[in-house]
Amino acid sequence: MSIDVKKRKKSGPWREVWRRLKQNKSAIFGLIVILTLIVVAIFADQIAPYGYDDQNLRARFQTPNGDHWFGTDNFGRDIFSRIIYGAQISLKVGLLAVGIALIVGGTLGAIAGFYGGKLDNGIMRFIDILLAIPSILLAISIVAALGPELRNVMIAVGVGSIPSYARIVRASVLSLRDQEFIEAARAVGASDTRLILKHIIPNSLAPLIVQSTIGVAGAILSAAGLGFIGLGIQPPLAEWGAMLNSGRQYIRDYPHMTAFPGLAIMVTIFALNLLGDGLRDALDPRLKN
Amino acid sequence: MMGEVKGLQPERLLEVKNLKKYFNTKKGLLHAVDDVNFFINKGETLGVVGESGCGKSTTGRVVLRLLEATDGEIIFEGKNIRDYNKTEMRNMRKEMQIVFQDPFASLNPRMSISEIISEPLIVNKVYKDKADRMKRVRELMSTVGLAERLTYAYPHELDGGRRQRIGIARALALKPKFIVQDEPVSALDVSIQAQILNLMDDLQKEFDLTYMFISHDLSVVKHVSDRIAVMYLGKVVELADYNTMFKNPQHPYTQALLSAIPVPRLDVHRDRIILEGDVPSPINPPEGCRFYGRCRYRQSNCLNVTPELKEVGPETFVACHYAGNLKPAII
């Protein structure tokens, strides 16, 4: 029937999303890069030819060569290995920071949207306060207060992105709450918990997935930014932002020290953004079929 | 009135007394359903007609307590279900179900057909065993005429008619006695409308169902109803059985509505009553007859005195001061 073609709902089953995503070459490229990065991060110990803090003072400032593919830094540490270990940290920060934001923001947004009224007002005004503070400033203050550790960086970056998740979840819960299928479930006697878990969450996942993918990129970038200004992960741990910072003073003579970590950040962010864009298109069949 | 002698007087399944539902809006109190009275006999179909915004869908939802009434009584099988607490109401939901207007919006797009139909069974823990549940789902699917190969299909893969069949199967799952049909065919093509209406008719006979059939489409209501309630701006203005209403409409609004049904004959010319003006706002409505501004027969007391629904004939109720004294305008 004509109705069938015309009104394909935003949220078909996941198989269809995957089918559409597969058609998008750049998204698949992004996905492959991300998967490679994840594998590299997991097996960093096996893949990296050197440890991240193996110093070799006789081999300082080497330009890329057969032994050290990306060259060495001012302590003679292998930059290739450090970037591989850096992937571990960056991905961990990115995923966990988004995880924190997603759980806290998502729960707040879902409660605000589902129950409405005063609760909604209270939660959303708190979110507005968070939103009023520039996120990088917030992250800097949190790290400055708690101390520059991996865990604190994740918290700092995560807290900064709570508002956007809260708003997205609240908006989609609001739009779903009055849908007839929710009323239909209520009419057969479904409880609030079942309504939220079975009906609301599965239908609000699409925008969240997109936001999270792009959010991971943002979190990695924020963490690198914190690393760059010295508030992130502390040496000798390998972190891309911190590596950029330490290579900064040698940039005129040894540009490879900044080029490779910079490239690593760029490729990761780029791949995540490609995947995020691809997912957005795949999850919204109104854009294309 | 409350006679229960079978064969003489039909048994009342549902009776609604002085039902009110007001919504608080920024502009004021919206009287969506304002002091509505009607009853539905066991096994019959009560058609509820009225134009958009007259409160017919709200009435349907309030009767099922999907919306809480502001005031009034909803008596189902002799008990006022408005007194029921959450648990009692949850059990009550097995008895009364609803089929929604929009077969696109009323099915969760992330659930397969078998999941949608089995939801009432899961929620109410009807079957312990998954195999038994699936058997019942297949049985329901064949009852409403859905092919078995569609068991794991998703709503967006189906056309409106099939989707509406899913909605009907879901409503039937708990073997209810009473189903509110909230404009179940107005989103469908005319050819499909007929199929769905016939299906509902068959189901009514097979399972001894009682329907409250809400629609703005008079020709559909005419087709399915045993008795008809006409609503205007939150009030029932006329309640009568099918024949009485179509032969002798008493309320001026009903007369105007019926005169608007097209007659598919070239040689018949019918005098249509063209209503003037617009429906007044249901927000803080004035005293007096709601239909005053558009009525052909209005008198001065119509403006001040609200006409109550009164019995003018056997089981025929009209809310008009001059009911019976107006000449029928229908040929």
Side-chain angles (χ1 to χ4, degrees):
Chain A
M1 289 305 316
S2 60
I3 311 159
D4 191 35
V5 187
K6 190 179 68 195
K7 242 195 167 173
R8 275 241 155 105
K9 274 278 160 160
K10 178 186 200 161
S11 27
W14 296 109
R15 259 173 305 162
E16 197 145 320
V17 171
W18 172 237
R19 186 182 62 75
R20 276 196 297 268
L21 187 68
K22 273 194 296 190
Q23 292 167 354
N24 186 338
K25 289 206 178 74
S26 49
I28 289 300
F29 169 75
L31 186 65
I32 290 170
V33 172
I34 306 296
L35 290 178
T36 317
L37 267 174
I38 291 173
V39 171
V40 163
I42 292 171
F43 298 104
D45 292 329
Q46 281 77 37
I47 294 169
Y50 303 89
Y52 63 88
D53 55 354
D54 287 354
Q55 297 188 11
N56 181 357
L57 293 177
R58 273 179 300 180
R60 298 167 69 201
F61 299 121
Q62 282 190 12
T63 47
N65 57 52
D67 277 345
H68 303 284
W69 290 358
F70 291 177
T72 57
D73 66 4
N74 50 332
F75 293 107
R77 293 177 299 195
D78 182 48
I79 291 180
F80 180 63
S81 306
R82 283 178 65 73
I83 283 183
I84 287 174
Y85 281 102
Q88 243 174 6
I89 289 178
S90 285
L91 287 179
K92 209 192 281 175
V93 170
L95 292 176
L96 288 180
V98 167
I100 292 171
L102 198 61
I103 290 168
V104 178
T107 314
L108 287 177
I111 292 171
F114 193 76
Y115 292 103
K118 279 186 187 138
L119 200 60
D120 179 25
N121 230 326
I123 291 174
M124 290 325 282
R125 293 303 76 79
F126 167 69
I127 295 293
D128 284 346
I129 293 173
L130 273 186
L131 207 59
I133 309 167
S135 61
I136 194 74
L137 210 62
L138 190 66
I140 289 173
S141 2
I142 292 174
V143 175
L146 298 177
E149 274 175 58
L150 183 62
R151 192 194 52 174
N152 298 341
V153 170
M154 293 189 298
I155 294 173
V157 175
V159 169
S161 42
I162 284 175
S164 54
Y165 293 95
R167 286 179 158 265
I168 289 173
V169 173
R170 176 175 173 269
S172 54
V173 170
L174 273 184
S175 72
L176 286 169
R177 196 181 55 175
D178 298 327
Q179 291 267 339
E180 267 188 352
F181 67 83
I182 301 287
E183 207 176 6
R186 215 171 242 148
V188 301
S191 60
D192 279 4
T193 325
R194 188 180 166 88
L195 286 181
I196 294 179
L197 292 180
K198 277 272 173 186
H199 295 275
I200 291 182
I201 288 183
N203 281 291
S204 54
L205 274 182
L208 268 187
I209 289 174
V210 175
Q211 171 70 18
S212 307
T213 321
I214 295 172
V216 171
I220 291 177
L221 206 58
S222 303
L226 284 175
F228 185 77
I229 55 174
L231 281 170
I233 286 87
Q234 294 301 299
L237 278 178
E239 200 273 330
W240 295 341
M243 286 168 74
L244 268 185
N245 184 35
S246 62
R248 186 172 47 107
Q249 40 189 315
Y250 309 105
I251 195 164
R252 282 172 191 276
D253 305 309
Y254 309 108
H256 68 271
M257 279 179 65
T258 44
F260 288 112
L263 219 57
I265 295 175
M266 208 189 84
V267 168
T268 312
I269 308 288
F270 183 57
L272 280 165
N273 282 337
L274 284 182
L275 181 63
D277 282 351
L279 278 173
R280 173 165 38 213
D281 293 350
L283 289 165
D284 189 355
R286 276 169 301 188
L287 289 177
K288 66 176 181 190
N289 222 340
Chain B
M1 278 257 287
M2 290 299 287
E4 301 237 334
V5 190
K6 278 195 180 164
L8 282 175
Q9 218 162 7
E11 195 183 336
R12 279 189 191 173
L13 183 73
L14 180 88
E15 187 162 4
V16 167
K17 287 182 184 165
N18 305 95
L19 191 70
K20 288 178 188 147
K21 175 66 189 173
Y22 298 161
F23 291 102
N24 265 319
T25 62
K26 276 176 191 155
K27 289 179 192 160
L29 211 53
L30 191 151
H31 296 226
V33 177
D34 206 358
D35 209 357
V36 156
N37 295 283
F38 62 85
F39 58 90
I40 305 180
N41 294 325
K42 208 164 185 170
E44 72 169 9
T45 300
L46 175 75
V48 179
V49 272
E51 53 201 291
S52 311
C54 72
K56 49 193 194 304
S57 285
T58 310
T59 308
R61 280 165 167 76
V62 170
V63 164
L64 296 182
R65 283 189 68 188
L66 287 173
L67 290 172
E68 282 307 327
T70 310
D71 196 19
E73 287 174 56
I74 305 159
I75 295 157
F76 187 83
E77 295 192 307
K79 289 192 185 107
N80 186 359
I81 64 164
R82 281 201 64 212
D83 297 337
Y84 282 14
N85 64 25
K86 237 178 165 176
T87 330
E88 287 170 319
M89 199 53 221
R90 194 166 285 177
N91 284 327
M92 200 62 220
R93 296 225 179 278
K94 292 180 197 162
E95 308 287 335
M96 37 202 332
Q97 279 299 318
I98 179 166
V99 173
F100 291 91
Q101 171 177 14
D102 185 346
F104 296 96
S106 61
L107 306 176
N108 185 340
R110 295 241 178 250
M111 282 185 160
S112 70
I113 292 173
S114 69
E115 285 175 300
I116 293 171
I117 299 178
S118 57
E119 178 158 47
L121 305 171
I122 297 173
V123 167
N124 291 286
K125 302 186 181 72
V126 180
Y127 296 102
K128 280 188 194 129
D129 199 40
K130 200 185 166 205
D132 289 346
R133 197 168 68 224
M134 283 312 291
K135 200 179 139 212
R136 170 77 175 140
V137 169
R138 289 209 186 83
E139 188 185 301
L140 283 163
M141 284 179 71
S142 82
T143 309
V144 298
L146 283 166
E148 203 175 321
R149 68 185 157 82
L150 299 174
T151 312
Y152 299 103
Y154 283 82
H156 74 274
E157 294 168 329
L158 307 176
D159 59 54
R162 289 210 182 85
R163 283 163 160 254
Q164 199 55 294
R165 285 173 198 266
I166 302 171
I168 295 169
R170 171 173 60 191
L172 285 177
L174 296 169
K175 302 180 182 160
K177 291 180 183 143
F178 173 62
I179 298 182
V180 172
Q181 312 269 15
D182 186 7
E183 308 213 21
V185 295
S186 46
L188 306 175
D189 290 349
V190 177
S191 60
I192 315 255
Q193 284 191 1
Q195 288 177 15
I196 297 292
L197 290 175
N198 289 335
L199 171 69
M200 286 172 169
D201 200 30
D202 295 344
L203 293 173
Q204 182 168 34
K205 284 179 194 129
E206 193 176 340
F207 299 111
D208 195 20
L209 295 167
T210 305
Y211 288 158
M212 173 171 166
F213 194 99
I214 299 165
S215 182
H216 61 257
D217 189 339
L218 270 172
S219 50
V220 170
V221 167
K222 191 178 168 185
H223 183 75
V224 299
S225 307
D226 299 309
R227 283 169 53 251
I228 298 175
V230 180
M231 283 188 75
Y232 184 78
L233 209 69
K235 284 200 177 280
V236 171
V237 293
E238 186 159 356
L239 176 69
D241 74 64
Y242 171 87
N243 283 324
T244 317
M245 183 165 300
F246 274 87
K247 272 191 202 132
N248 184 17
Q250 304 265 348
H251 196 279
Y253 179 63
T254 316
Q255 293 178 355
L257 267 189
L258 296 188
S259 81
I261 300 178
V263 185
R265 281 172 62 180
L266 281 174
D267 53 333
V268 175
H269 278 278
R270 155 189 295 187
D271 291 328
R272 285 193 57 190
I273 304 170
I274 309 289
L275 287 179
E276 284 169 11
D278 220 336
V279 190
S281 163
I283 294 169
N284 302 325
E287 277 292 301
C289 181
R290 298 273 164 95
F291 193 57
Y292 177 78
R294 305 173 78 183
C295 186
R296 307 203 297 174
Y297 309 105
R298 64 185 162 211
Q299 303 289 328
S300 58
N301 66 334
C302 296
L303 188 57
N304 306 314
V305 186
T306 311
E308 297 299 326
L309 200 62
K310 58 181 184 237
E311 196 157 9
V312 295
E315 304 245 299
T316 307
F317 302 83
V318 183
C320 177
H321 295 307
Y322 300 99
N325 301 328
L326 311 171
K327 61 173 168 66
I330 302 296
I331 46 161

